[in-house]
Amino acid sequence: MDVRDLWSEALAGVLARPTRSALTTLGTVLGITTLVITIGVSSTAGNQIVGRFDALTATSVTVGVSSAAPAGPGPLVDWSGVDAVRRLAGVESVAAIAASQETAGVEVRADDVAAPGEVSGQTMAVVAASPTLPAAVRGGMTTGRFLDDGDIARHDRVAVLGDQAARLLGISSVENAPAVFLKGQAYTVIGILGGVEREQQLATAVILPPTTAADRMGLGTVTRVLINTALGAAGQVARQAPIALAPGAEASLTVTAPADPAEARKGVQGDVNGLFLVLGLVSLVVGAIGIANVTLVTVIERIGEIGLRRALGASRRQVAGQFLVESTTIGLLGGVVGAALGVVVVVIVSAVKEWTPVLDVRLALGAPVAGALVGLLAGLYPSLRASRMEPVDALRS
């Protein structure tokens, strides 16, 4: 019996019981489909995670001013220092913030008259910020406007609220010039800042002009400088920003820069792929057990056929080869169908989520091979059992 005869006999055995063969193939189809879907979706999701990492974390640099900075004729970092940082190559936006422990919990009221039974006020952080803060925190004004150079120059008693702070105080619009009261003094609310992606604690804060905060709240010294860079420029900006902010005293500044995006990409995708690969392999093992079980049942049902083949001169190798090729064929068909279904599902999920599908071509091409290998391994024991049957005992059965 040559190879062509072996394949024709195996194919005839598969097609002789189409329903059972289809149900057996279904186990491999589900296993391969699950494997392709999990790896494909995890790669796609990992790409989205890394994309967000690149867009947010990988471009964010923070410079902190040490409270133990050496005293001098002026502040270590001046509010105008952000202009020097803005001129650095790779910087897209920059802003300075002043905060202190004393202003981390200030009672803020939307009315200076407390009615009986009313909550006395909300405890919120009060900070000072430069006019470029919305861009630096990747936020935007939901209503009104942000602080400008005129507010700073005039020492205006104006304030901008974070969106959550405004909600707590019951302020949703600035059309009627609402006011908030800090330490008994009124500040006109000129805008509400929302959608903050960096420094999210600002969503519950009251933001004042630097000059006003210095006059009335003691917030005259910059404590943090927020810098957004172009992708790939964070390392260079992190080295240059301290020199631009405090020439000669850069050692007193603390720089927080992101890790290497390439390493982060590998770590995120490796963790996600590893998790879902385990799930896919478990499904594939279940499919292999199904093929082995059905092939073993097929051997038992075809004992008479095996005995007749042996009596007519078929060798043990030829009998084992027939059943082995049958199980491999079932695994191969399941791999082809499963790979096709898996690719379709990955594309559909990506389209629904508005993601860019990421699928390794080697996975789609290797899935049928994996299915055939599963079928081959699953059919080893049943085929060996069939080959060990003696013709007389098989025919007698």
Side-chain angles (χ1 to χ4, degrees), residues 340-352:
L341 289 177
V343 171
V344 170
V345 172
V346 170
V347 172
I348 291 175
V349 170
S350 301
V352 171

Side-chain angles (χ1 to χ4, degrees), residues 60-326:
S60 300
V61 176
T62 302
V63 180
V65 182
S66 173
S67 58
L76 181 62
V77 176
D78 191 75
W79 288 96
S80 61
V82 296
D83 295 329
V85 175
R86 190 180 295 110
R87 290 192 291 268
L88 296 177
V91 173
E92 295 186 345
S93 59
V94 58
I97 294 178
S100 67
Q101 293 183 349
E102 290 75 13
T103 60
V106 178
E107 184 181 23
V108 182
R109 299 183 51 82
D111 193 340
D112 63 341
V113 179
E118 231 183 24
V119 179
S120 59
Q122 301 288 341
T123 300
M124 300 178 181
V126 177
V127 301
S130 56
T132 54
L133 183 69
V137 297
R138 295 187 175 96
M141 302 306 297
T142 59
T143 184
R145 64 175 180 85
F146 198 71
L147 309 170
D148 59 24
D149 293 332
D151 298 320
I152 298 173
R154 294 187 300 267
H155 296 234
D156 289 343
R157 284 198 298 177
V158 294
V160 173
L161 303 179
D163 53 355
Q164 294 183 28
R167 191 177 303 113
L168 291 172
L169 294 171
I171 298 174
S172 58
S173 174
V174 296
E175 292 181 0
N176 297 323
V180 293
F181 292 83
L182 309 175
K183 297 183 177 180
Q185 294 183 332
Y187 294 79
T188 302
V189 178
I190 60 173
I192 298 176
L193 177 65
V196 175
E197 296 183 10
R198 283 189 68 182
E199 301 287 324
Q200 295 184 357
Q201 66 270 21
L202 293 177
T204 56
V206 179
I207 306 168
L208 304 179
T211 51
T212 306
D215 294 341
R216 303 179 182 277
M217 307 295 293
L219 287 175
T221 305
V222 175
T223 56
R224 289 195 311 281
V225 178
L226 310 179
I227 307 171
N228 292 321
T229 72
L231 193 59
Q236 175 182 331
V237 172
R239 292 189 297 270
Q240 296 177 348
I243 302 174
L245 288 169
E250 58 271 14
S252 300
L253 305 181
T254 303
V255 181
T256 303
D260 184 5
E263 294 299 325
R265 180 186 296 273
K266 293 178 182 178
V268 171
Q269 290 184 337
D271 292 343
V272 175
N273 289 345
L275 173 63
F276 285 100
L277 181 60
V278 172
L279 299 178
L281 291 177
V282 169
S283 301
L284 202 57
V285 169
V286 172
I289 294 174
I291 293 178
N293 184 43
V294 173
T295 305
L296 184 59
V297 172
T298 302
V299 169
I300 296 174
E301 290 181 349
R302 296 165 64 183
I303 290 179
E305 175 189 336
I306 296 172
L308 181 59
R309 289 180 181 276
R310 290 297 310 280
L312 294 177
S315 64
R316 294 179 183 272
R317 179 179 299 178
Q318 291 172 339
V319 172
Q322 178 184 346
F323 285 96
L324 203 58
V325 171
E326 286 185 16

